[in-house]
Amino acid sequence: MKNIYNQLLINKQENRKMLAVLLDPDQCRGSLLASTIAALKSNSPDFIFVGGSHTVSSTDSLIELLKEETTAGVVLFPGNAAQFSTKADALLYLSLFSGRNAEFLIGHHISSALAIKNSDIEVIPTGYLLIDGGKPSSVEYISNTRPIPSDKNEIALSTAVAAELLGMKLIYLEAGSGAKQAVSTQMIETVKSGLDIPLLVGGGIKNTNQLKIAFEAGADLVVVGNIFEKNPALIADFVECTRDCNS
Ligand code: 1GP
């Protein structure tokens, strides 16, 4: 077992920044899948996240392939209970704390709880906060919840701290895949200042400058997906930038 959460904690303690490449099984197939695997083999990020808010394809076969071909920890980032797979190293057990839709706070968890308990997958309870990214996101539409306004840093802070106090082990600030604007540095700094647990940031990060800015503001781990669907070769640049931030 890889003990993904332990890796996250150790890296956070040592102030080593981490990169996760997010793959959506609906999008990552055929020639895109082949070039993505090739890029991941030559430049491994810390983690590969698998999932999506609107994903309908099975996650099993993609995860099996990733585990055969790559060395990074494979972590499920599911949009709903149907995306659960026992094949991954760990599961982000996401609860959408920014919203007030019970299905996404606890409903999907109940649907998948026994299957998860009966597997030996590592479960990482994660407080998931949707932040306005400048355009309606799939998460917003699918979950039927409103994001936290992008300039309401104190609301994001209170929400994240409530999630930590309720026992979440990670906080994920999400601007939505392909967001026009990523989570602001001010919001990352504010939320980071109140947390003891690791902070993940994702959504709308399109270049290595934005990656560096998110790390400097306090993100322990940055999640990037959309831009690699357009050009998987960019994975090398993002891995190198993460390495540079740690040297
Ligand atoms: C989406 O935060 C992730 O859930 C990554 O966002 O696809 O915009 O990189 P992008």
Side-chain angles (χ1 to χ4, degrees):
M1 265 180 81
K2 286 191 189 266
N3 202 338
I4 301 289
Y5 190 63
N6 206 35
Q7 286 179 42
L8 276 155
L9 281 184
I10 290 170
N11 285 334
K12 176 185 180 294
Q13 275 157 16
E14 294 176 355
N15 200 27
R16 270 182 41 81
K17 302 299 183 182
M18 295 163 274
L19 174 70
V21 170
L22 172 64
L23 304 182
D24 180 339
D26 277 352
Q27 307 298 331
C28 200
R29 39 199 355 181
S31 62
L32 175 61
L33 176 58
S35 44
T36 302
I37 297 271
L40 291 167
K41 278 172 98 160
S42 41
N43 293 281
S44 182
D46 298 274
F47 304 106
I48 302 168
F49 284 7
V50 173
S53 52
H54 187 47
T55 302
V56 290
S57 308
S58 156
T59 50
D60 278 357
S61 53
L62 176 58
I63 293 171
E64 276 174 334
L65 182 65
L66 290 168
K67 295 201 60 137
E68 273 167 33
E69 298 282 339
T70 69
T71 53
V74 179
V75 179
L76 262 180
F77 172 60
N80 56 55
Q83 289 175 35
F84 175 62
S85 161
T86 55
K87 314 275 181 203
D89 294 308
L91 161 72
L92 296 189
Y93 207 33
L94 301 164
S95 191
L96 185 58
F97 272 76
S98 55
R100 298 296 177 270
N101 180 341
E103 279 306 305
F104 288 82
L105 277 162
I106 185 64
H108 288 284
H109 310 73
I110 293 169
S111 308
S112 54
L114 295 184
I116 294 169
K117 185 82 178 176
N118 290 331
S119 74
D120 50 11
I121 198 166
E122 180 186 352
V123 179
I124 308 176
T126 302
Y128 191 46
L129 277 62
L130 181 62
I131 314 298
D132 191 344
K135 67 174 196 185
S137 64
S138 300
V139 181
E140 176 180 348
Y141 182 77
I142 299 287
S143 68
N144 199 16
T145 65
R146 289 161 64 194
I148 296 175
S150 58
D151 59 346
K152 299 296 182 198
N153 304 332
E154 299 299 323
I155 294 178
L157 171 64
S158 302
T159 310
V161 171
E164 182 180 283
L165 292 173
L166 280 162
M168 299 297 113
K169 291 185 169 178
L170 297 177
I171 296 297
Y172 189 143
L173 295 181
E174 166 73 271
S177 190
K180 256 194 203 163
Q181 64 200 40
V183 180
S184 73
T185 53
Q186 294 85 347
M187 185 174 280
I188 298 172
E189 283 167 2
T190 305
V191 170
K192 178 72 175 181
S193 71
L195 287 183
D196 291 317
I197 55 176
L199 178 61
L200 280 58
V201 174
I205 293 180
K206 301 178 186 73
N207 57 56
T208 53
N209 192 41
Q210 287 176 295
L211 176 70
K212 206 166 158 235
I213 288 170
F215 283 145
E216 284 170 359
D220 296 299
L221 184 152
V222 171
V223 185
V224 183
N226 203 266
I227 195 73
F228 301 142
E229 289 171 11
K230 298 186 171 79
N231 183 4
L234 287 175
I235 290 173
D237 297 350
F238 279 69
V239 169
E240 192 188 337
C241 175
T242 307
R243 209 176 292 140
D244 288 349
C245 289
N246 289 323
S247 58

